Amino acid sequence: MSLEPPRPEETLEHTDDRETLEEILGDHAIGWEDHVNAQGVVIRPDEVQSALRALRDEGGFDHLTCLTAQQYADRYESIYHLTKYDDRSQEVSVVVPTSTDEPVSQSADAVYRTADWHEREAYDLVGIEYEDHPDLRRILLPETWQGHPLGLDYDQDKPQLVSLSEHANPIAEHHHDEERDTMFLNIGPHHPATHGVLHLKTVLDGETVADVEPDIGYLHRCEEQMCQSGTYRHQIMPYPDRWDYVSAGLLNEWSYARAIEDMADIEVPEYAQVIRTMGSELCRIAAHLISIGAFALDVVGDFTVSFQYAWQDREDVLNILEDLTGQRMMFNYFRLGGVVWDLPEPREDFFESIRTFLDSFEGSVDEYHDLLTNNEIFQQRCIDTGHLDPETAKSYGVTGPVARGSGIDYDVRRDDPYGYYEELDWDVAVYDGCDNYARVLVRMQELEESAKIVEQCVDILEDWPEDEREIQSNVPRTLKPDADTEVYRSVEGAKGELGIYIRSDGSDKPARFKIRSPCFSNLQALGEAANGEYVADLIATLGSIDVILGEVDR
């Protein structure tokens, strides 16, 4: 549901250069900063809504990808990273400083609905308050938590014990509403239908969902804090595998690699780019197989056939990735400037194992269509349920198969190219059904597209001259980007746009490391897709969004 008046039909084509931004923002801009991949414009904390509205309506920046909050010695700062669904290559960073005495900034929720959760997280972890926010409270940590862990004045020794009254059961009181005749129902946090440690607070009117609120934070491990404690060169790369611990490790490793390689101006050899592309698409196949198999379990209770078939195909992919990386799930295969080692020997056997899998996988995809998408019961449960229209999805910053199932033609691999994708023949899967069925169809087609990419990479690697197989560029042993260098970079993860913001203070560790998780923004839109539908369809809708709580909570 849009909260704003209709936007102008025509916007300027290129609006991310400084001259055009100055024209759009006028007096809103009070300063400028140099960020690696985008203009950084500084605005007053009481003009956030008007400045962002101008950038969205006149500049066409309709995608709030990420909000990064941080504290300096003399100020707090919120950075809104904006881009366009129609042109991902255009970006701008909106910097909002506030004083340390009164860290209050105007909320962006009235312009971008996705700011709701992002600002709650900034308040929770850093301590910035957002004026006019509809529901500013903690999101990852318990309400009883003392202090803000990413603030400079945070006391790590302060005990977190609170009195018993603050631990009171929030649903202990009588919740029966005599007039509305609704019922409050907890789903999770430990329940198979919630795909992990997720708690859904639902209000039901009969069997119809009147309201649903995802309650996250049960798995929060402060991954950003851990990355800020590690060195760029070696100690951060193992963490991204853990964000999506199911299958998407290499995709996540690439998000960090791309950010720091752009920041430190590190080139990656073409040969290593092909290997990265092949490995990442194998991970995408493995991740989508789990998503589709688990979705069959959610919708028609199919644990014995579709789920097990998907699990077996995923095992075949993991066997290939184990040969490539030496690890079963937490691969840790990327290195800055390339990959850790070359393809396994004998290469002919490795290529043969991939071709054998691809040959059998083509038939497997047909079987999934027979079992699921062509199944009448499955269709009845999925078609016209979990509706998410494209404008609502954009407002929530939804990306990946969820966005493409709402007809949004947006894929970072194609729209902001990296790796070897530009050189290959493949298509972006887009369906405009805007329902649970369309999201499954997107993932089914993406299985085939990823297989096409892997096959082309194998053809290229087979013919690569032996004396030109450079797997890493020359990277300094200790990496220290210039102080105050800032970058935000993203890749197309299995669930959508996975972005990393890094600010350097000139040392060998990041001063600020922020993770933009696609699952975080996608899950925020669950209420829009599920409200007004049956509670059984709520489970299907949650499954179609395909969240991994390790990536949501980080």
Side-chain angles (χ1 to χ4, degrees), residues 124-145:
D124 190 359
L125 300 184
V126 182
I128 301 175
E129 296 190 20
Y130 293 90
E131 200 171 29
D132 297 334
H133 190 283
D135 187 21
L136 190 63
R137 55 191 167 90
R138 292 187 183 277
I139 188 169
L140 293 174
L141 300 175
E143 281 297 322
T144 56
W145 197 267

Side-chain angles (χ1 to χ4, degrees), residues 4 6 17 22 84 178 183 218 237 292 346 408 462 473:
E4 294 295 312
D17 60 278
E22 285 178 334
K84 304 179 181 182
E178 297 288 351
M183 179 178 70
Y218 295 88
M237 190 59 81
I292 292 168
I408 301 172
E462 273 186 324
S473 58

Side-chain angles (χ1 to χ4, degrees), residues 88-364:
R88 179 61 185 78
S89 63
Q90 295 193 51
E91 301 175 71
V92 60
S93 296
V94 180
V95 182
V96 188
T98 60
S99 69
T100 55
D101 296 334
E102 191 179 4
V104 180
S105 174
Q106 196 175 52
S107 171
D109 177 81
V111 187
Y112 301 98
R113 285 292 293 122
T114 192
D116 182 346
W117 276 23
H118 286 268
E119 289 177 347
R120 281 180 62 189
E121 181 182 325
Y123 162 72
D124 190 359
L125 300 184
V126 182
I128 301 175
E129 296 190 20
Y130 293 90
E131 200 171 29
D132 297 334
H133 190 283
D135 187 21
L136 190 63
R137 55 191 167 90
R138 292 187 183 277
I139 188 169
L140 293 174
L141 300 175
E143 281 297 322
T144 56
W145 197 267
Q146 310 293 303
H148 305 279
L150 294 185
L152 296 181
D153 57 351
Y154 180 65
D155 181 3
Q156 296 190 30
D157 297 324
K158 186 178 180 64
Q160 294 296 331
L161 295 176
V162 296
S163 61
L164 187 60
S165 62
E166 291 182 90
H167 278 308
N169 183 352
I171 61 168
E173 62 186 76
H174 183 58
H175 275 256
H176 180 67
D177 188 326
E178 297 288 351
E179 295 183 357
R180 300 181 60 188
D181 198 24
T182 58
M183 179 178 70
F184 181 87
L185 177 67
N186 285 298
I187 302 178
H190 301 284
H191 188 280
T194 58
H195 291 231
V197 280
L198 171 65
H199 172 205
L200 296 180
K201 299 175 180 177
T202 55
V203 177
L204 303 182
D205 182 1
E207 291 191 36
T208 302
V209 176
D211 187 38
V212 58
E213 177 193 348
D215 179 14
I216 65 175
Y218 295 88
L219 206 58
H220 182 50
R221 297 162 292 175
C222 220
E223 293 268 1
E224 294 174 3
Q225 182 85 333
M226 289 195 286
C227 290
Q228 288 171 198
S229 303
T231 57
Y232 292 108
R233 181 72 195 275
H234 292 298
Q235 294 179 342
I236 295 176
M237 190 59 81
Y239 290 121
D241 284 314
R242 274 86 177 162
W243 303 341
D244 182 347
Y245 40 70
V246 174
S247 302
L250 296 185
L251 292 158
N252 292 14
E253 289 178 24
W254 209 338
S255 65
Y256 168 62
R258 193 182 187 202
I260 185 60
E261 285 164 357
D262 269 20
M263 187 181 203
D265 198 20
I266 297 172
E267 294 289 333
V268 181
E270 194 174 354
Y271 179 69
Q273 295 281 27
V274 181
I275 296 176
R276 282 183 171 188
T277 304
M278 179 189 70
S280 295
E281 291 310 308
L282 286 168
C283 279
R284 193 182 310 278
I285 292 173
H288 280 4
L289 284 171
I290 289 299
S291 171
I292 292 168
F295 187 63
L297 178 63
D298 289 331
V299 174
V300 291
D302 184 0
F303 182 74
T304 55
V305 181
S306 303
F307 185 84
Q308 301 290 0
Y309 280 15
W311 199 265
Q312 180 57 57
D313 283 333
R314 172 182 176 270
E315 284 292 300
D316 294 340
V317 176
L318 290 186
N319 288 338
I320 296 170
L321 289 170
E322 185 177 3
D323 290 341
L324 176 65
T325 67
Q327 306 291 332
R328 186 66 182 170
M329 291 178 67
M330 303 300 151
F331 305 113
N332 192 19
Y333 180 65
F334 279 28
R335 292 293 180 273
L336 304 190
V339 294
V340 62
W341 49 57
D342 200 353
L343 304 179
E345 296 286 354
R347 293 166 65 90
E348 294 75 15
D349 289 355
F350 179 67
F351 291 137
E352 182 60 28
S353 67
I354 298 178
R355 291 195 188 283
T356 301
F357 165 74
L358 293 177
D359 289 343
S360 65
F361 188 59
E362 186 175 351
S364 296

Side-chain angles (χ1 to χ4, degrees), residues 480-537:
K480 295 182 177 179
D482 294 337
D484 295 326
T485 308
E486 299 178 57
V487 66
Y488 173 78
R489 267 309 200 189
S490 63
V491 299
E492 186 68 30
K495 277 66 176 171
E497 182 175 349
L498 179 59
I500 302 293
Y501 165 86
I502 299 175
R503 176 174 64 84
S504 168
D505 59 1
S507 71
D508 62 346
K509 300 174 183 177
R512 182 73 171 98
F513 190 99
K514 169 66 181 174
I515 306 163
R516 190 274 182 194
S517 156
C519 292
F520 185 76
S521 294
N522 292 355
L523 180 60
Q524 191 181 356
L526 176 65
E528 295 284 354
N531 288 349
E533 303 192 342
Y534 290 123
V535 64
D537 295 332

Side-chain angles (χ1 to χ4, degrees), residues 403-410 414 428-432 442 445:
R404 293 190 283 275
S406 291
I408 301 172
D409 190 4
Y410 181 83
R414 179 202 60 193
V428 175
V430 180
Y431 288 82
D432 60 2
V442 168
Q445 185 179 337

